Amino acid sequence: IAVSAVTGHGLAHLLDEVDAALSANATDMELLVPFDRGDVVDLIHRIGEILSEVHDPDGTRIKARIPTRHTEVLSAFEA
């Protein structure tokens, strides 16, 4: 993808392509993690892109974009 360093022409296209490539290997998940599983919340923060995080009476509800290779282990916490 051609990008001009002078005018920035093509930069938006480049960013769109990078976003598409990164999203292809990730899945959006909504997870409910019990408060006693801080290790899982830490893992999600380290490997994923947090879209939202709310604490409710049942635990920490997190919407995140998770790399596909980690979705199986986190599927136990799907809300």
Side-chain angles (χ1 to χ4, degrees):
I1 297 172
V3 177
S4 169
V6 176
T7 67
H9 180 76
L11 185 59
H13 181 65
L14 174 64
L15 294 175
D16 289 342
E17 291 297 318
V18 169
D19 186 50
L22 293 174
S23 296
N25 294 320
T27 302
D28 287 356
M29 298 181 78
E30 184 171 341
L31 306 161
L32 180 59
V33 183
F35 290 122
D36 65 345
R37 294 301 309 267
D39 60 315
V40 175
V41 173
D42 179 60
L43 174 66
I44 297 166
H45 277 269
R46 283 187 290 115
I47 65 167
E49 175 187 349
I50 305 302
L51 305 174
S52 69
E53 183 172 344
V54 177
H55 301 285
D56 66 27
D58 298 320
T60 304
R61 188 172 301 275
I62 300 174
K63 291 182 184 177
R65 186 163 292 128
I66 304 295
T68 304
R69 68 182 182 272
H70 295 287
T71 57
E72 186 175 336
V73 71
L74 293 172
S75 66
F77 299 98
E78 281 191 288

